[in-house]
Amino acid sequence: MLKIKNARRNNQRQTNLIKYELPLFYRKQQVTATEAQVIALIPKGEDSKVTMTDLARLASLDTRTVQNIISSAKKKGVPILSSRKAGDSGYYIATTEEERRRGLANLRHQIKEISAGIEGVEGADLDRWQRLTGFNEQLEKIMKRK
C-alpha cells in the first residue's frame, strides 16, 4: 500500500509516495465466501477483463458492494487490477509480473491524479474561486447560447 506525504521545497508542494507494509491484520485474513464469489467472476490475465457493471450483475450485488469487496480482497493479497482505457476497461487478476507492473503503474497514476485534486481543493480560495477560475465567464457564455 502507498501512503502520501506532502512536503514543501522551494515554495512548491511536492507529493512523495512512501511504501509501507499492510497491517498484519489484513495479511493474515482469508477471503470471505462473498469475496470468493466475486473473485471467481474476475478473469485471469489482462487480456480478459470484466467491467464493474457486469461484475455486479453477475454477482447479483450492487456496484458499491463489489467495489468494497475488491478493495478488501486486494488488501488480503488478491492481485486484482484494473484498466481504465476507453474501450478496454475492466478488472482482471494479474497472472504475470508484467501484468502486475502495468496494473500498478495505472494505480500510481490514479494516486497522482487524486493527490493533484486534493492539492487543488486545499489551495482553493473559498471566497473567490469562481472569479479566479473563470467560472462566471464560462457560465455566462453557456447561458447566452440557450
Side-chain angles (χ1 to χ4, degrees):
M1 186 178 255
L2 298 171
K3 189 173 184 176
I4 298 173
K5 179 182 176 185
N6 289 322
R8 289 221 175 248
R9 190 179 296 158
N10 299 334
N11 279 341
Q12 291 183 337
R13 183 178 287 162
Q14 293 184 340
T15 301
N16 301 314
L17 301 179
I18 301 170
K19 290 186 178 186
Y20 71 96
E21 291 292 317
L22 279 174
L24 191 59
F25 169 77
Y26 286 115
R27 291 183 280 145
K28 293 279 186 179
Q29 281 196 342
Q30 300 291 307
V31 296
T32 66
T34 306
E35 288 170 342
Q37 172 194 359
V38 171
I39 293 165
L41 297 170
I42 301 173
K44 290 180 176 69
E46 68 180 330
D47 291 335
S48 302
K49 298 176 190 76
V50 63
T51 67
M52 175 57 67
T53 303
D54 288 343
L55 194 53
R57 183 182 46 76
L58 291 167
S60 299
L61 298 168
D62 62 90
T63 56
R64 173 50 65 196
T65 300
V66 173
Q67 288 170 342
N68 289 338
I69 287 170
I70 289 173
S71 177
S72 176
K74 286 178 178 182
K75 292 172 189 171
K76 293 175 183 178
V78 180
I80 300 170
L81 294 166
S82 62
S83 171
R84 293 183 171 200
K85 288 182 185 175
D88 188 32
S89 63
Y91 291 87
Y92 63 95
I93 296 176
T95 57
T96 67
E97 285 300 324
E98 184 60 23
E99 287 178 349
R100 180 186 355 224
R101 186 192 62 73
R102 280 193 294 270
L104 290 174
N106 290 336
L107 286 173
R108 287 184 181 101
H109 177 74
Q110 289 175 26
I111 289 169
K112 288 178 184 176
E113 290 296 311
I114 291 168
S115 182
I118 289 169
E119 290 177 12
V121 172
E122 283 177 334
D125 184 319
L126 297 176
D127 297 318
R128 302 180 315 152
W129 69 266
Q130 292 171 312
R131 187 167 44 90
L132 294 172
T133 62
F135 170 80
N136 290 334
E137 291 82 8
Q138 293 301 324
L139 190 58
E140 285 178 23
K141 288 179 186 177
I142 292 169
M143 298 309 274
K144 286 179 182 177
R145 288 186 217 148
K146 291 184 177 186

